[in-house]
Amino acid sequence: MSPAAGFNLPGSLMKPDSGFAVPTKLQSIRKGDRERLRIQGVFSFPPRNGRAEKRKQLKQELLEAIEPLERGATATPDDQLRIDQLARKVEAVNPTNEPLKSDLINGKWELIYTTSAAILQAKKPRFLRSITNYQCINMDTLKVQRMETWPFYNSVTGDLTPLNSKKVAVKLQMFKILGFIPVKAPDSARGELEITYVDEELRISRGKGNLLFILKMFDPTYRIPL
């Protein structure tokens, strides 16, 4: 964060040539008068790292609440409500105003929580659920990819169309079953994704129907095969 964003005023700003100097009229007041006036400049701006510390604390609270929920598969309605509230607190301190224009969005992200039943597959026996899910984004090529791991290694790739600096339309194009059997996605395989928070470590996104996705960075250098 820049010094201006933190509202810390360095000593140089209080010099006569800084723009914050005492006006000439006040300077002309006799020394005794100035002492009696006791003019004080009081600044109540937060410390430079105050917002960063708050963001770190809110992120930690969110991650701790997510940890026992098996990416959301075991979350009760009360759990989902609590996670949503904690996520909104983190979103409120998003350091990236235009996520889709930031390099922070690119790479391979590991899904650590979602409310998407299609991804969680909570009704399936645990041994038939993907152990880990990844979502990858490359904004320079406008590509997105979702990957499952053991036991099926299914994946899907698609195209992105920016709608604004935070939201994209998603059109899925090709599934790969078991990691190698190509199946063309139906034309109806469309959606939207809004990036509501992103930094070097964490990304929060929301989809249609207020679906919530929380991911942690896995590999910022990953490129989706073209």
Side-chain angles (χ1 to χ4, degrees):
M1 181 182 296
S2 66
F7 294 101
N8 285 302
L9 299 182
S12 61
L13 289 183
M14 302 310 295
K15 294 179 180 179
D17 60 349
S18 67
F20 288 81
V22 178
T24 303
K25 187 175 182 179
L26 283 179
Q27 290 180 358
S28 67
I29 299 174
R30 294 191 307 272
K31 182 177 180 180
D33 292 335
R34 291 202 301 270
E35 290 174 352
R36 285 193 296 271
L37 288 172
R38 299 176 64 85
I39 298 173
Q40 286 186 322
V42 180
F43 297 92
S44 58
F45 300 118
R48 181 179 303 181
N49 62 350
R51 187 174 175 87
E53 287 299 317
K54 179 181 179 182
R55 183 163 56 243
K56 182 179 178 180
Q57 179 183 349
L58 291 174
K59 285 168 57 178
Q60 187 61 35
E61 291 175 0
L62 176 62
L63 294 174
E64 288 176 356
I66 285 172
E67 187 175 6
L69 300 179
E70 296 184 16
R71 289 177 296 162
T74 62
T76 66
D78 286 344
D79 291 329
Q80 291 181 342
L81 178 60
R82 179 168 181 251
I83 298 301
D84 187 81
Q85 292 171 340
L86 290 172
R88 290 184 187 278
K89 290 182 179 180
V90 175
E91 290 168 332
V93 293
N94 182 18
T96 310
N97 293 328
E98 297 184 311
L100 297 180
K101 296 181 180 180
S102 171
D103 286 338
L104 294 175
I105 198 70
N106 296 311
K108 187 175 184 178
W109 296 83
E110 180 182 344
L111 182 71
I112 57 176
Y113 177 87
T114 185
T115 55
S116 171
I119 293 176
L120 291 172
Q121 301 178 340
K123 294 183 179 181
K124 288 185 177 182
R126 185 173 299 180
F127 69 91
L128 292 179
R129 301 179 205 161
S130 174
I131 293 176
T132 308
N133 290 62
Y134 298 101
Q135 187 185 87
C136 313
I137 292 178
N138 289 154
M139 284 305 299
D140 59 336
T141 57
L142 295 177
K143 293 294 183 182
V144 64
Q145 181 181 37
R146 196 178 76 207
M147 296 181 287
E148 299 177 354
T149 57
W150 176 268
F152 297 114
Y153 294 95
N154 297 327
S155 67
V156 61
T157 54
D159 296 328
L160 301 174
T161 302
L163 302 177
N164 54 43
S165 62
K166 297 182 179 180
K167 182 183 287 189
V168 291
V170 182
K171 172 62 176 76
L172 301 183
Q173 297 290 356
M174 186 67 66
F175 291 93
K176 281 193 176 181
I177 310 303
L178 301 177
F180 65 93
I181 303 173
V183 177
K184 185 174 175 58
D187 188 63
S188 59
R190 299 172 181 267
E192 293 182 356
L193 192 68
E194 182 176 8
I195 313 301
T196 54
Y197 181 95
V198 66
D199 63 18
E200 295 86 351
E201 305 169 326
L202 189 73
R203 174 161 66 86
I204 303 176
S205 304
R206 293 184 182 268
K208 190 174 181 180
N210 201 34
L211 292 176
L212 178 60
F213 305 89
I214 303 176
L215 309 97
K216 66 178 182 180
M217 174 53 74
F218 182 81
D219 180 4
T221 67
Y222 180 80
R223 302 294 301 174
I224 299 170
L226 297 178

